[in-house]
Amino acid sequence: MVIMEHNEKHFTGSEQIQDIVIGMSDGLTVPFALTAGLSGAVASNHIVITAGVAEIIAGSIAMGLGGYLAGKTAYDHYYAELKREYLEVEVVPEREKQEIEDILADYGISAETKKAFVDELAQDKDKWVQFMMKFELGLEEPVLNRARNSAMTIAAAYIIGGLVPLTSYFFTKNPEEGLKYSVAVTLVALLAFGFFKNKAIGENPWTGAIRTAFIGAIAAGAAYFIAKLVSGI
Amino acid sequence: MVIMEHNEKHFTGSEQIQDIVIGMSDGLTVPFALTAGLSGAVASNHIVITAGVAEIIAGSIAMGLGGYLAGKTAYDHYYAELKREYLEVEVVPEREKQEIEDILADYGISAETKKAFVDELAQDKDKWVQFMMKFELGLEEPVLNRARNSAMTIAAAYIIGGLVPLTSYFFTKNPEEGLKYSVAVTLVALLAFGFFKNKAIGENPWTGAIRTAFIGAIAAGAAYFIAKLVSGI
């Protein structure tokens, strides 16, 4: 039976794949759009490449360090909350029990069952706190070193993604020519990336391909026309 | 008592504030680092401004549209899962009951209480499904129009953030001079932004100020030196 086989495979994709997706998604899009935008406004590939490299460095550090600090904040936050919950079940156990009963009341559980449930849960303080963390606060235990690994994966994916649109400007004589190859190469890369990204998370791969390429095309097109406008002022 | 007053104010900050933070965090950092990087490598403010504008357009569209599609995916995902859970409680109710009992078993709940709990929950299919959505899958009901509002907020915050480092190049004669003002203005903006961001989410504001300015400084410094290196090749 299809439902039984699919069961609980609700949302797949490891955290590392998520980080690659986060980094590469922006890495393929923003440096592409920036260099496309500049190539309509400046006369030399050298400037396009310099700006592209500066953008890749800026973007990868901002995203990587941003990812690191977000991960570290989530980690610190979890353990701060954990400490507080341990303190609360120690100091105000009746109020904590009442909070669980309030949650259960929303689902139509009888007074008798709620009482039995809470009393049994409260017999083991660790399990009680784990229950509060997950079901009251919706927090999962973060993995150690996650923040640092996450930062490096996001930054590396951004750099790899960002080099795709840039390479065309190395092998061409002027920005106009570079742009043509860059658009072709990057749109193919965006389609492929969107396809496999959605495949990895169990969504329709063709929708992913179209959406990802669409974002890149819109961003690059808008940057191109507005940079042309600005450079003409 | 402090614990009682603080209770359940665990993580504040509305979703709109989160969107502003997401957009402005990158908007203040990446265009700042890009223009700083370029100003060590090119001779004219005009090029720095053109690149900065192209980056702001590229980044705001990539982040805004990315935010929109992420929101829309979360929305679609929620309703796809909701439909599946309704189907499952209809077609394989005993297995769905067993899943809840398995979750409760992890918290030391007795067979008797689990049985009573599940039977009472199963009396109302809507509540049963809501329970599965929240406690088995960890999914919250997304707000309608959230995706579109989120996209526009992120994009607007990115643009506003990105204009801060850029304005210095309008009022100065060369990139070297522009860079000095841009660094001063943007570091102050990053410190203030980090301060109020952390204040809004209930974390230490000074840590936020230092961290945010640190990311911007690292990104700008790295972009500056590497762009200088590339432009010398």
Side-chain angles (χ1 to χ4, degrees), chain A residues 19 21-27 57-69 150-151 154-155 158, chain B residues 26 29-30 63 215:
Chain A
D19 287 337
V21 166
I22 290 170
M24 192 161 285
S25 181
D26 274 26
I57 299 300
S60 61
I61 290 177
M63 285 198 84
L65 261 183
Y68 171 74
L69 293 176
S150 177
I154 291 175
Y158 192 96
Chain B
D26 274 25
T29 309
V30 183
M63 286 199 84
I215 297 178

mmCIF file with all atom_site columns, all heavy atoms in Angstrom, chain A residues 19 21-27 57-69 150-151 154-155 158, chain B residues 26 29-30 63 215:
data_model
loop_
_atom_site.group_PDB
_atom_site.id
_atom_site.type_symbol
_atom_site.label_atom_id
_atom_site.label_alt_id
_atom_site.label_comp_id
_atom_site.label_asym_id
_atom_site.label_entity_id
_atom_site.label_seq_id
_atom_site.pdbx_PDB_ins_code
_atom_site.Cartn_x
_atom_site.Cartn_y
_atom_site.Cartn_z
_atom_site.occupancy
_atom_site.B_iso_or_equiv
_atom_site.pdbx_formal_charge
_atom_site.auth_seq_id
_atom_site.auth_comp_id
_atom_site.auth_asym_id
_atom_site.auth_atom_id
_atom_site.pdbx_PDB_model_num
ATOM 1   N N   . ASP A 1 19  ? 22.478 22.797 3.765  1.00 0.00 ? 19  ASP A N   1
ATOM 2   C CA  . ASP A 1 19  ? 23.509 23.835 3.736  1.00 0.00 ? 19  ASP A CA  1
ATOM 3   C C   . ASP A 1 19  ? 24.056 24.037 2.326  1.00 0.00 ? 19  ASP A C   1
ATOM 4   O O   . ASP A 1 19  ? 24.302 25.175 1.907  1.00 0.00 ? 19  ASP A O   1
ATOM 5   C CB  . ASP A 1 19  ? 24.652 23.467 4.694  1.00 0.00 ? 19  ASP A CB  1
ATOM 6   C CG  . ASP A 1 19  ? 24.248 23.627 6.148  1.00 0.00 ? 19  ASP A CG  1
ATOM 7   O OD1 . ASP A 1 19  ? 23.305 24.402 6.414  1.00 0.00 ? 19  ASP A OD1 1
ATOM 8   O OD2 . ASP A 1 19  ? 24.868 22.981 7.000  1.00 0.00 ? 19  ASP A OD2 1
ATOM 9   N N   . VAL A 1 21  ? 22.450 23.479 -0.382 1.00 0.00 ? 21  VAL A N   1
ATOM 10  C CA  . VAL A 1 21  ? 21.380 24.151 -1.130 1.00 0.00 ? 21  VAL A CA  1
ATOM 11  C C   . VAL A 1 21  ? 21.363 25.649 -0.820 1.00 0.00 ? 21  VAL A C   1
ATOM 12  O O   . VAL A 1 21  ? 21.298 26.477 -1.726 1.00 0.00 ? 21  VAL A O   1
ATOM 13  C CB  . VAL A 1 21  ? 20.006 23.502 -0.814 1.00 0.00 ? 21  VAL A CB  1
ATOM 14  C CG1 . VAL A 1 21  ? 18.865 24.384 -1.293 1.00 0.00 ? 21  VAL A CG1 1
ATOM 15  C CG2 . VAL A 1 21  ? 19.920 22.124 -1.451 1.00 0.00 ? 21  VAL A CG2 1
ATOM 16  N N   . ILE A 1 22  ? 21.471 25.983 0.471  1.00 0.00 ? 22  ILE A N   1
ATOM 17  C CA  . ILE A 1 22  ? 21.459 27.394 0.873  1.00 0.00 ? 22  ILE A CA  1
ATOM 18  C C   . ILE A 1 22  ? 22.607 28.149 0.206  1.00 0.00 ? 22  ILE A C   1
ATOM 19  O O   . ILE A 1 22  ? 22.419 29.210 -0.380 1.00 0.00 ? 22  ILE A O   1
ATOM 20  C CB  . ILE A 1 22  ? 21.582 27.510 2.418  1.00 0.00 ? 22  ILE A CB  1
ATOM 21  C CG1 . ILE A 1 22  ? 20.296 27.016 3.086  1.00 0.00 ? 22  ILE A CG1 1
ATOM 22  C CG2 . ILE A 1 22  ? 21.873 28.958 2.839  1.00 0.00 ? 22  ILE A CG2 1
ATOM 23  C CD1 . ILE A 1 22  ? 20.421 26.859 4.597  1.00 0.00 ? 22  ILE A CD1 1
ATOM 24  N N   . GLY A 1 23  ? 23.816 27.598 0.288  1.00 0.00 ? 23  GLY A N   1
ATOM 25  C CA  . GLY A 1 23  ? 24.982 28.286 -0.257 1.00 0.00 ? 23  GLY A CA  1
ATOM 26  C C   . GLY A 1 23  ? 24.975 28.359 -1.771 1.00 0.00 ? 23  GLY A C   1
ATOM 27  O O   . GLY A 1 23  ? 25.211 29.417 -2.361 1.00 0.00 ? 23  GLY A O   1
ATOM 28  N N   . MET A 1 24  ? 24.658 27.232 -2.412 1.00 0.00 ? 24  MET A N   1
ATOM 29  C CA  . MET A 1 24  ? 24.750 27.197 -3.866 1.00 0.00 ? 24  MET A CA  1
ATOM 30  C C   . MET A 1 24  ? 23.626 27.979 -4.528 1.00 0.00 ? 24  MET A C   1
ATOM 31  O O   . MET A 1 24  ? 23.800 28.592 -5.579 1.00 0.00 ? 24  MET A O   1
ATOM 32  C CB  . MET A 1 24  ? 24.763 25.756 -4.369 1.00 0.00 ? 24  MET A CB  1
ATOM 33  C CG  . MET A 1 24  ? 25.159 25.666 -5.823 1.00 0.00 ? 24  MET A CG  1
ATOM 34  S SD  . MET A 1 24  ? 25.724 24.018 -6.301 1.00 0.00 ? 24  MET A SD  1
ATOM 35  C CE  . MET A 1 24  ? 27.351 23.961 -5.565 1.00 0.00 ? 24  MET A CE  1
ATOM 36  N N   . SER A 1 25  ? 22.475 27.972 -3.888 1.00 0.00 ? 25  SER A N   1
ATOM 37  C CA  . SER A 1 25  ? 21.326 28.700 -4.404 1.00 0.00 ? 25  SER A CA  1
ATOM 38  C C   . SER A 1 25  ? 21.661 30.181 -4.577 1.00 0.00 ? 25  SER A C   1
ATOM 39  O O   . SER A 1 25  ? 21.452 30.769 -5.643 1.00 0.00 ? 25  SER A O   1
ATOM 40  C CB  . SER A 1 25  ? 20.172 28.513 -3.430 1.00 0.00 ? 25  SER A CB  1
ATOM 41  O OG  . SER A 1 25  ? 19.044 29.173 -3.875 1.00 0.00 ? 25  SER A OG  1
ATOM 42  N N   . ASP A 1 26  ? 22.218 30.787 -3.545 1.00 0.00 ? 26  ASP A N   1
ATOM 43  C CA  . ASP A 1 26  ? 22.617 32.188 -3.634 1.00 0.00 ? 26  ASP A CA  1
ATOM 44  C C   . ASP A 1 26  ? 23.893 32.357 -4.454 1.00 0.00 ? 26  ASP A C   1
ATOM 45  O O   . ASP A 1 26  ? 24.057 33.351 -5.165 1.00 0.00 ? 26  ASP A O   1
ATOM 46  C CB  . ASP A 1 26  ? 22.838 32.771 -2.238 1.00 0.00 ? 26  ASP A CB  1
ATOM 47  C CG  . ASP A 1 26  ? 21.545 33.287 -1.638 1.00 0.00 ? 26  ASP A CG  1
ATOM 48  O OD1 . ASP A 1 26  ? 20.492 32.786 -2.037 1.00 0.00 ? 26  ASP A OD1 1
ATOM 49  O OD2 . ASP A 1 26  ? 21.593 34.182 -0.786 1.00 0.00 ? 26  ASP A OD2 1
ATOM 50  N N   . GLY A 1 27  ? 24.815 31.397 -4.330 1.00 0.00 ? 27  GLY A N   1
ATOM 51  C CA  . GLY A 1 27  ? 26.086 31.488 -5.048 1.00 0.00 ? 27  GLY A CA  1
ATOM 52  C C   . GLY A 1 27  ? 25.912 31.460 -6.552 1.00 0.00 ? 27  GLY A C   1
ATOM 53  O O   . GLY A 1 27  ? 26.622 32.150 -7.291 1.00 0.00 ? 27  GLY A O   1
ATOM 54  N N   . ILE A 1 57  ? 33.695 36.530 -2.472 1.00 0.00 ? 57  ILE A N   1
ATOM 55  C CA  . ILE A 1 57  ? 34.329 36.589 -1.147 1.00 0.00 ? 57  ILE A CA  1
ATOM 56  C C   . ILE A 1 57  ? 33.354 37.173 -0.129 1.00 0.00 ? 57  ILE A C   1
ATOM 57  O O   . ILE A 1 57  ? 33.127 36.598 0.950  1.00 0.00 ? 57  ILE A O   1
ATOM 58  C CB  . ILE A 1 57  ? 35.609 37.466 -1.205 1.00 0.00 ? 57  ILE A CB  1
ATOM 59  C CG1 . ILE A 1 57  ? 36.629 36.880 -2.190 1.00 0.00 ? 57  ILE A CG1 1
ATOM 60  C CG2 . ILE A 1 57  ? 36.219 37.643 0.175  1.00 0.00 ? 57  ILE A CG2 1
ATOM 61  C CD1 . ILE A 1 57  ? 37.088 35.489 -1.855 1.00 0.00 ? 57  ILE A CD1 1
ATOM 62  N N   . ALA A 1 58  ? 32.763 38.305 -0.485 1.00 0.00 ? 58  ALA A N   1
ATOM 63  C CA  . ALA A 1 58  ? 31.836 38.979 0.431  1.00 0.00 ? 58  ALA A CA  1
ATOM 64  C C   . ALA A 1 58  ? 30.652 38.082 0.781  1.00 0.00 ? 58  ALA A C   1
ATOM 65  O O   . ALA A 1 58  ? 30.307 37.894 1.953  1.00 0.00 ? 58  ALA A O   1
ATOM 66  C CB  . ALA A 1 58  ? 31.335 40.281 -0.198 1.00 0.00 ? 58  ALA A CB  1
ATOM 67  N N   . GLY A 1 59  ? 30.052 37.503 -0.252 1.00 0.00 ? 59  GLY A N   1
ATOM 68  C CA  . GLY A 1 59  ? 28.854 36.681 -0.045 1.00 0.00 ? 59  GLY A CA  1
ATOM 69  C C   . GLY A 1 59  ? 29.146 35.414 0.730  1.00 0.00 ? 59  GLY A C   1
ATOM 70  O O   . GLY A 1 59  ? 28.384 35.030 1.620  1.00 0.00 ? 59  GLY A O   1
ATOM 71  N N   . SER A 1 60  ? 30.267 34.752 0.415  1.00 0.00 ? 60  SER A N   1
ATOM 72  C CA  . SER A 1 60  ? 30.551 33.489 1.094  1.00 0.00 ? 60  SER A CA  1
ATOM 73  C C   . SER A 1 60  ? 30.890 33.718 2.567  1.00 0.00 ? 60  SER A C   1
ATOM 74  O O   . SER A 1 60  ? 30.464 32.946 3.426  1.00 0.00 ? 60  SER A O   1
ATOM 75  C CB  . SER A 1 60  ? 31.688 32.737 0.396  1.00 0.00 ? 60  SER A CB  1
ATOM 76  O OG  . SER A 1 60  ? 32.878 33.492 0.420  1.00 0.00 ? 60  SER A OG  1
ATOM 77  N N   . ILE A 1 61  ? 31.610 34.804 2.854  1.00 0.00 ? 61  ILE A N   1
ATOM 78  C CA  . ILE A 1 61  ? 31.925 35.091 4.261  1.00 0.00 ? 61  ILE A CA  1
ATOM 79  C C   . ILE A 1 61  ? 30.658 35.504 5.012  1.00 0.00 ? 61  ILE A C   1
ATOM 80  O O   . ILE A 1 61  ? 30.391 35.028 6.113  1.00 0.00 ? 61  ILE A O   1
ATOM 81  C CB  . ILE A 1 61  ? 33.015 36.178 4.374  1.00 0.00 ? 61  ILE A CB  1
ATOM 82  C CG1 . ILE A 1 61  ? 34.357 35.596 3.888  1.00 0.00 ? 61  ILE A CG1 1
ATOM 83  C CG2 . ILE A 1 61  ? 33.147 36.676 5.809  1.00 0.00 ? 61  ILE A CG2 1
ATOM 84  C CD1 . ILE A 1 61  ? 35.497 36.574 3.870  1.00 0.00 ? 61  ILE A CD1 1
ATOM 85  N N   . ALA A 1 62  ? 29.868 36.382 4.388  1.00 0.00 ? 62  ALA A N   1
ATOM 86  C CA  . ALA A 1 62  ? 28.643 36.827 5.055  1.00 0.00 ? 62  ALA A CA  1
ATOM 87  C C   . ALA A 1 62  ? 27.712 35.647 5.325  1.00 0.00 ? 62  ALA A C   1
ATOM 88  O O   . ALA A 1 62  ? 27.175 35.498 6.421  1.00 0.00 ? 62  ALA A O   1
ATOM 89  C CB  . ALA A 1 62  ? 27.923 37.880 4.207  1.00 0.00 ? 62  ALA A CB  1
ATOM 90  N N   . MET A 1 63  ? 27.536 34.778 4.321  1.00 0.00 ? 63  MET A N   1
ATOM 91  C CA  . MET A 1 63  ? 26.642 33.629 4.510  1.00 0.00 ? 63  MET A CA  1
ATOM 92  C C   . MET A 1 63  ? 27.243 32.592 5.445  1.00 0.00 ? 63  MET A C   1
ATOM 93  O O   . MET A 1 63  ? 26.557 32.019 6.280  1.00 0.00 ? 63  MET A O   1
ATOM 94  C CB  . MET A 1 63  ? 26.336 32.957 3.180  1.00 0.00 ? 63  MET A CB  1
ATOM 95  C CG  . MET A 1 63  ? 25.364 33.719 2.333  1.00 0.00 ? 63  MET A CG  1
ATOM 96  S SD  . MET A 1 63  ? 24.640 32.647 1.055  1.00 0.00 ? 63  MET A SD  1
ATOM 97  C CE  . MET A 1 63  ? 23.301 31.879 1.970  1.00 0.00 ? 63  MET A CE  1
ATOM 98  N N   . GLY A 1 64  ? 28.544 32.306 5.273  1.00 0.00 ? 64  GLY A N   1
ATOM 99  C CA  . GLY A 1 64  ? 29.193 31.293 6.101  1.00 0.00 ? 64  GLY A CA  1
ATOM 100 C C   . GLY A 1 64  ? 29.241 31.702 7.561  1.00 0.00 ? 64  GLY A C   1
ATOM 101 O O   . GLY A 1 64  ? 28.777 30.981 8.437  1.00 0.00 ? 64  GLY A O   1
ATOM 102 N N   . LEU A 1 65  ? 29.766 32.908 7.817  1.00 0.00 ? 65  LEU A N   1
ATOM 103 C CA  . LEU A 1 65  ? 29.829 33.397 9.200  1.00 0.00 ? 65  LEU A CA  1
ATOM 104 C C   . LEU A 1 65  ? 28.417 33.584 9.763  1.00 0.00 ? 65  LEU A C   1
ATOM 105 O O   . LEU A 1 65  ? 28.163 33.273 10.917 1.00 0.00 ? 65  LEU A O   1
ATOM 106 C CB  . LEU A 1 65  ? 30.577 34.731 9.271  1.00 0.00 ? 65  LEU A CB  1
ATOM 107 C CG  . LEU A 1 65  ? 32.038 34.697 9.692  1.00 0.00 ? 65  LEU A CG  1
ATOM 108 C CD1 . LEU A 1 65  ? 32.584 36.112 9.768  1.00 0.00 ? 65  LEU A CD1 1
ATOM 109 C CD2 . LEU A 1 65  ? 32.218 34.013 11.041 1.00 0.00 ? 65  LEU A CD2 1
ATOM 110 N N   . GLY A 1 66  ? 27.526 34.083 8.906  1.00 0.00 ? 66  GLY A N   1
ATOM 111 C CA  . GLY A 1 66  ? 26.124 34.230 9.331  1.00 0.00 ? 66  GLY A CA  1
ATOM 112 C C   . GLY A 1 66  ? 25.550 32.879 9.726  1.00 0.00 ? 66  GLY A C   1
ATOM 113 O O   . GLY A 1 66  ? 24.886 32.754 10.755 1.00 0.00 ? 66  GLY A O   1
ATOM 114 N N   . GLY A 1 67  ? 25.829 31.852 8.911  1.00 0.00 ? 67  GLY A N   1
ATOM 115 C CA  . GLY A 1 67  ? 25.359 30.500 9.213  1.00 0.00 ? 67  GLY A CA  1
ATOM 116 C C   . GLY A 1 67  ? 25.973 29.980 10.500 1.00 0.00 ? 67  GLY A C   1
ATOM 117 O O   . GLY A 1 67  ? 25.298 29.357 11.321 1.00 0.00 ? 67  GLY A O   1
ATOM 118 N N   . TYR A 1 68  ? 27.265 30.266 10.690 1.00 0.00 ? 68  TYR A N   1
ATOM 119 C CA  . TYR A 1 68  ? 27.947 29.818 11.908 1.00 0.00 ? 68  TYR A CA  1
ATOM 120 C C   . TYR A 1 68  ? 27.303 30.423 13.151 1.00 0.00 ? 68  TYR A C   1
ATOM 121 O O   . TYR A 1 68  ? 26.994 29.731 14.114 1.00 0.00 ? 68  TYR A O   1
ATOM 122 C CB  . TYR A 1 68  ? 29.425 30.211 11.856 1.00 0.00 ? 68  TYR A CB  1
ATOM 123 C CG  . TYR A 1 68  ? 30.143 29.967 13.162 1.00 0.00 ? 68  TYR A CG  1
ATOM 124 C CD1 . TYR A 1 68  ? 30.461 28.672 13.552 1.00 0.00 ? 68  TYR A CD1 1
ATOM 125 C CD2 . TYR A 1 68  ? 30.460 31.016 14.005 1.00 0.00 ? 68  TYR A CD2 1
ATOM 126 C CE1 . TYR A 1 68  ? 31.091 28.441 14.767 1.00 0.00 ? 68  TYR A CE1 1
ATOM 127 C CE2 . TYR A 1 68  ? 31.101 30.786 15.221 1.00 0.00 ? 68  TYR A CE2 1
ATOM 128 C CZ  . TYR A 1 68  ? 31.407 29.500 15.596 1.00 0.00 ? 68  TYR A CZ  1
ATOM 129 O OH  . TYR A 1 68  ? 32.015 29.269 16.792 1.00 0.00 ? 68  TYR A OH  1
ATOM 130 N N   . LEU A 1 69  ? 27.100 31.743 13.090 1.00 0.00 ? 69  LEU A N   1
ATOM 131 C CA  . LEU A 1 69  ? 26.569 32.416 14.274 1.00 0.00 ? 69  LEU A CA  1
ATOM 132 C C   . LEU A 1 69  ? 25.110 32.037 14.523 1.00 0.00 ? 69  LEU A C   1
ATOM 133 O O   . LEU A 1 69  ? 24.693 31.910 15.674 1.00 0.00 ? 69  LEU A O   1
ATOM 134 C CB  . LEU A 1 69  ? 26.738 33.933 14.143 1.00 0.00 ? 69  LEU A CB  1
ATOM 135 C CG  . LEU A 1 69  ? 28.206 34.367 14.162 1.00 0.00 ? 69  LEU A CG  1
ATOM 136 C CD1 . LEU A 1 69  ? 28.329 35.853 13.922 1.00 0.00 ? 69  LEU A CD1 1
ATOM 137 C CD2 . LEU A 1 69  ? 28.877 33.992 15.484 1.00 0.00 ? 69  LEU A CD2 1
ATOM 138 N N   . SER A 1 150 ? 28.452 23.685 9.313  1.00 0.00 ? 150 SER A N   1
ATOM 139 C CA  . SER A 1 150 ? 27.438 24.373 8.520  1.00 0.00 ? 150 SER A CA  1
ATOM 140 C C   . SER A 1 150 ? 28.039 25.588 7.818  1.00 0.00 ? 150 SER A C   1
ATOM 141 O O   . SER A 1 150 ? 27.835 25.802 6.616  1.00 0.00 ? 150 SER A O   1
ATOM 142 C CB  . SER A 1 150 ? 26.304 24.791 9.450  1.00 0.00 ? 150 SER A CB  1
ATOM 143 O OG  . SER A 1 150 ? 25.334 25.507 8.753  1.00 0.00 ? 150 SER A OG  1
ATOM 144 N N   . ALA A 1 151 ? 28.812 26.368 8.552  1.00 0.00 ? 151 ALA A N   1
ATOM 145 C CA  . ALA A 1 151 ? 29.437 27.572 8.007  1.00 0.00 ? 151 ALA A CA  1
ATOM 146 C C   . ALA A 1 151 ? 30.332 27.237 6.828  1.00 0.00 ? 151 ALA A C   1
ATOM 147 O O   . ALA A 1 151 ? 30.275 27.875 5.770  1.00 0.00 ? 151 ALA A O   1
ATOM 148 C CB  . ALA A 1 151 ? 30.259 28.269 9.089  1.00 0.00 ? 151 ALA A CB  1
ATOM 149 N N   . ILE A 1 154 ? 28.274 25.949 3.715  1.00 0.00 ? 154 ILE A N   1
ATOM 150 C CA  . ILE A 1 154 ? 27.564 27.044 3.033  1.00 0.00 ? 154 ILE A CA  1
ATOM 151 C C   . ILE A 1 154 ? 28.555 27.900 2.234  1.00 0.00 ? 154 ILE A C   1
ATOM 152 O O   . ILE A 1 154 ? 28.323 28.207 1.062  1.00 0.00 ? 154 ILE A O   1
ATOM 153 C CB  . ILE A 1 154 ? 26.790 27.925 4.048  1.00 0.00 ? 154 ILE A CB  1
ATOM 154 C CG1 . ILE A 1 154 ? 25.615 27.147 4.646  1.00 0.00 ? 154 ILE A CG1 1
ATOM 155 C CG2 . ILE A 1 154 ? 26.293 29.213 3.386  1.00 0.00 ? 154 ILE A CG2 1
ATOM 156 C CD1 . ILE A 1 154 ? 24.869 27.890 5.744  1.00 0.00 ? 154 ILE A CD1 1
ATOM 157 N N   . ALA A 1 155 ? 29.678 28.257 2.866  1.00 0.00 ? 155 ALA A N   1
ATOM 158 C CA  . ALA A 1 155 ? 30.656 29.111 2.196  1.00 0.00 ? 155 ALA A CA  1
ATOM 159 C C   . ALA A 1 155 ? 31.249 28.405 0.969  1.00 0.00 ? 155 ALA A C   1
ATOM 160 O O   . ALA A 1 155 ? 31.370 29.011 -0.110 1.00 0.00 ? 155 ALA A O   1
ATOM 161 C CB  . ALA A 1 155 ? 31.767 29.501 3.172  1.00 0.00 ? 155 ALA A CB  1
ATOM 162 N N   . TYR A 1 158 ? 28.752 28.301 -1.821 1.00 0.00 ? 158 TYR A N   1
ATOM 163 C CA  . TYR A 1 158 ? 28.588 29.633 -2.407 1.00 0.00 ? 158 TYR A CA  1
ATOM 164 C C   . TYR A 1 158 ? 29.722 29.923 -3.397 1.00 0.00 ? 158 TYR A C   1
ATOM 165 O O   . TYR A 1 158 ? 29.493 30.429 -4.501 1.00 0.00 ? 158 TYR A O   1
ATOM 166 C CB  . TYR A 1 158 ? 28.568 30.689 -1.304 1.00 0.00 ? 158 TYR A CB  1
ATOM 167 C CG  . TYR A 1 158 ? 28.125 32.059 -1.772 1.00 0.00 ? 158 TYR A CG  1
ATOM 168 C CD1 . TYR A 1 158 ? 26.805 32.471 -1.627 1.00 0.00 ? 158 TYR A CD1 1
ATOM 169 C CD2 . TYR A 1 158 ? 29.018 32.943 -2.378 1.00 0.00 ? 158 TYR A CD2 1
ATOM 170 C CE1 . TYR A 1 158 ? 26.401 33.715 -2.055 1.00 0.00 ? 158 TYR A CE1 1
ATOM 171 C CE2 . TYR A 1 158 ? 28.615 34.193 -2.815 1.00 0.00 ? 158 TYR A CE2 1
ATOM 172 C CZ  . TYR A 1 158 ? 27.304 34.579 -2.650 1.00 0.00 ? 158 TYR A CZ  1
ATOM 173 O OH  . TYR A 1 158 ? 26.900 35.810 -3.084 1.00 0.00 ? 158 TYR A OH  1
ATOM 174 N N   . ASP B 1 26  ? 22.093 40.757 5.561  1.00 0.00 ? 26  ASP B N   1
ATOM 175 C CA  . ASP B 1 26  ? 22.862 40.572 4.331  1.00 0.00 ? 26  ASP B CA  1
ATOM 176 C C   . ASP B 1 26  ? 22.991 41.867 3.554  1.00 0.00 ? 26  ASP B C   1
ATOM 177 O O   . ASP B 1 26  ? 24.020 42.132 2.932  1.00 0.00 ? 26  ASP B O   1
ATOM 178 C CB  . ASP B 1 26  ? 22.194 39.524 3.439  1.00 0.00 ? 26  ASP B CB  1
ATOM 179 C CG  . ASP B 1 26  ? 22.642 38.119 3.803  1.00 0.00 ? 26  ASP B CG  1
ATOM 180 O OD1 . ASP B 1 26  ? 23.035 37.924 4.962  1.00 0.00 ? 26  ASP B OD1 1
ATOM 181 O OD2 . ASP B 1 26  ? 22.608 37.235 2.945  1.00 0.00 ? 26  ASP B OD2 1
ATOM 182 N N   . THR B 1 29  ? 25.790 43.896 4.849  1.00 0.00 ? 29  THR B N   1
ATOM 183 C CA  . THR B 1 29  ? 27.094 43.241 4.791  1.00 0.00 ? 29  THR B CA  1
ATOM 184 C C   . THR B 1 29  ? 27.632 43.086 3.366  1.00 0.00 ? 29  THR B C   1
ATOM 185 O O   . THR B 1 29  ? 28.757 43.514 3.065  1.00 0.00 ? 29  THR B O   1
ATOM 186 C CB  . THR B 1 29  ? 27.010 41.844 5.448  1.00 0.00 ? 29  THR B CB  1
ATOM 187 O OG1 . THR B 1 29  ? 26.424 41.987 6.741  1.00 0.00 ? 29  THR B OG1 1
ATOM 188 C CG2 . THR B 1 29  ? 28.387 41.227 5.579  1.00 0.00 ? 29  THR B CG2 1
ATOM 189 N N   . VAL B 1 30  ? 26.849 42.471 2.476  1.00 0.00 ? 30  VAL B N   1
ATOM 190 C CA  . VAL B 1 30  ? 27.390 42.096 1.169  1.00 0.00 ? 30  VAL B CA  1
ATOM 191 C C   . VAL B 1 30  ? 27.668 43.302 0.261  1.00 0.00 ? 30  VAL B C   1
ATOM 192 O O   . VAL B 1 30  ? 28.774 43.418 -0.272 1.00 0.00 ? 30  VAL B O   1
ATOM 193 C CB  . VAL B 1 30  ? 26.515 41.016 0.487  1.00 0.00 ? 30  VAL B CB  1
ATOM 194 C CG1 . VAL B 1 30  ? 27.140 40.584 -0.827 1.00 0.00 ? 30  VAL B CG1 1
ATOM 195 C CG2 . VAL B 1 30  ? 26.364 39.798 1.399  1.00 0.00 ? 30  VAL B CG2 1
ATOM 196 N N   . MET B 1 63  ? 17.128 37.161 -2.701 1.00 0.00 ? 63  MET B N   1
ATOM 197 C CA  . MET B 1 63  ? 16.644 36.881 -1.350 1.00 0.00 ? 63  MET B CA  1
ATOM 198 C C   . MET B 1 63  ? 15.128 36.973 -1.256 1.00 0.00 ? 63  MET B C   1
ATOM 199 O O   . MET B 1 63  ? 14.495 36.156 -0.606 1.00 0.00 ? 63  MET B O   1
ATOM 200 C CB  . MET B 1 63  ? 17.247 37.861 -0.347 1.00 0.00 ? 63  MET B CB  1
ATOM 201 C CG  . MET B 1 63  ? 18.693 37.588 -0.037 1.00 0.00 ? 63  MET B CG  1
ATOM 202 S SD  . MET B 1 63  ? 19.190 38.382 1.519  1.00 0.00 ? 63  MET B SD  1
ATOM 203 C CE  . MET B 1 63  ? 18.638 37.154 2.712  1.00 0.00 ? 63  MET B CE  1
ATOM 204 N N   . ILE B 1 215 ? 31.337 40.394 11.415 1.00 0.00 ? 215 ILE B N   1
ATOM 205 C CA  . ILE B 1 215 ? 31.091 39.731 10.127 1.00 0.00 ? 215 ILE B CA  1
ATOM 206 C C   . ILE B 1 215 ? 31.293 40.710 8.978  1.00 0.00 ? 215 ILE B C   1
ATOM 207 O O   . ILE B 1 215 ? 31.967 40.406 7.983  1.00 0.00 ? 215 ILE B O   1
ATOM 208 C CB  . ILE B 1 215 ? 29.648 39.153 10.052 1.00 0.00 ? 215 ILE B CB  1
ATOM 209 C CG1 . ILE B 1 215 ? 29.454 38.073 11.110 1.00 0.00 ? 215 ILE B CG1 1
ATOM 210 C CG2 . ILE B 1 215 ? 29.367 38.574 8.657  1.00 0.00 ? 215 ILE B CG2 1
ATOM 211 C CD1 . ILE B 1 215 ? 28.043 37.490 11.120 1.00 0.00 ? 215 ILE B CD1 1
#
